[in-house]
DNA sequence: CCTTTGTTTCGTAATTCTACGAAATACAAA
DNA sequence: TTTGTATTTCGTAGAATTACGAAACAAAGG
């Protein structure tokens, strides 16, 4: 039997995870919208009109981005204010920069 | 009925497509490997030992990357020499840079 | 306390992804 | 022409993603 590496490295997995978060046009839209100004915040409803999906689906995409760490949500019912998670956003930026600049 | 944008924009879709190509650790590995030196080329077998998947699966990942435009393959049976598709690689680099630098 | 409002969660269905081994392919060498 | 080598394609299966509308939620206002 040939010896194989058993697992992917941490950075490889992290990179893939960030990329997957961006890998849907709706999520690209959301991130574009929020990253426009790094301190910008918005509510789910602010985007709902401009995106060709149901509100519940938009909510799931927001959840996916939150789980990936790229955004965060401040709960203030019935509103939830979303904004970029600056720390992870910067980390992702650096990872992609390093990835492409080899 | 509320007026919604019907479609995502071209750049949003393109961005998502590139991100999806990177959204798997095996493909991150492959791109890392090839982009190490932008002119580096390699054969499928060169990577097979270092990655925890079957050769056929590796082949499918290579196909996915080729279809996404990030790599290209020069056929020279039974070898196929893969390398970065420089033009699209640069385009992707710029897209991600612009995406994160807002 | 009942209703309204903005949002998320649930149930469900269709599609896509990931993976493997077996079989096919295409040229080179014997 | 047969065999060998490197790789891809095929058939299949299980898991994950994406989508929707209905229902649930939680606070505010009547």
């Amino acid at each position: 039997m040939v010896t194989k590496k058993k697992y992917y490295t941490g950075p490889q997995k992290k990179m893939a995870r960030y990329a997957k978060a961006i890998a849907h046009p709706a999520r690209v839209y959301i991130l574009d919208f929020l990253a426009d100004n790094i301190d910008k915040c918005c509510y789910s409803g602010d985007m709902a009109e401009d995106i060709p999906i149901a509100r519940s689906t938009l909510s799931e995409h927001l959840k996916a981005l939150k789980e990936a760490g790229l955004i965060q949500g401040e709960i203030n019912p019935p509103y939830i204010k979303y904004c970029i998670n600056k720390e992870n956003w910067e980390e992702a930026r650096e990872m992609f920069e390093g990835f492409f600049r080899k």
Side-chain angles (χ1 to χ4, degrees), chain A:
Chain A
M1 223 298 231
V2 182
T3 316
K4 285 205 178 196
K5 238 189 344 195
K6 280 202 178 51
Y7 308 108
Y8 298 106
T9 68
Q12 278 164 1
K13 286 189 275 190
K14 193 173 245 182
M15 183 77 193
R17 191 147 21 89
Y18 279 136
K20 184 181 263 183
I22 307 175
H24 189 286
R27 297 196 291 270
V28 171
Y29 175 90
I30 294 167
L31 292 172
D32 253 346
F33 188 85
L34 287 175
D36 178 42
N37 171 335
I38 196 69
D39 291 314
K40 181 176 185 175
C41 286
C42 79
Y43 303 103
S44 174
D46 296 345
M47 291 179 289
E49 314 275 286
D50 297 325
I51 218 172
I53 52 174
R55 275 156 195 273
S56 57
T57 307
L58 170 56
S59 181
E60 312 251 29
H61 284 302
L62 288 166
K63 188 164 85 176
L65 287 173
K66 199 158 50 176
E67 277 167 9
L70 289 176
I71 68 172
Q72 57 197 159
E74 187 190 316
I75 297 174
N76 190 7
Y79 297 95
I80 296 182
K81 197 157 67 176
Y82 287 104
C83 57
I84 293 292
N85 180 320
K86 289 188 197 180
E87 192 176 336
N88 292 336
W89 182 257
E90 177 60 17
E91 180 185 63
R93 192 187 67 69
E94 282 168 12
M95 290 196 81
F96 277 92
E97 190 176 303
F99 183 76
F100 279 109
R101 200 198 20 218
K102 289 229 187 144

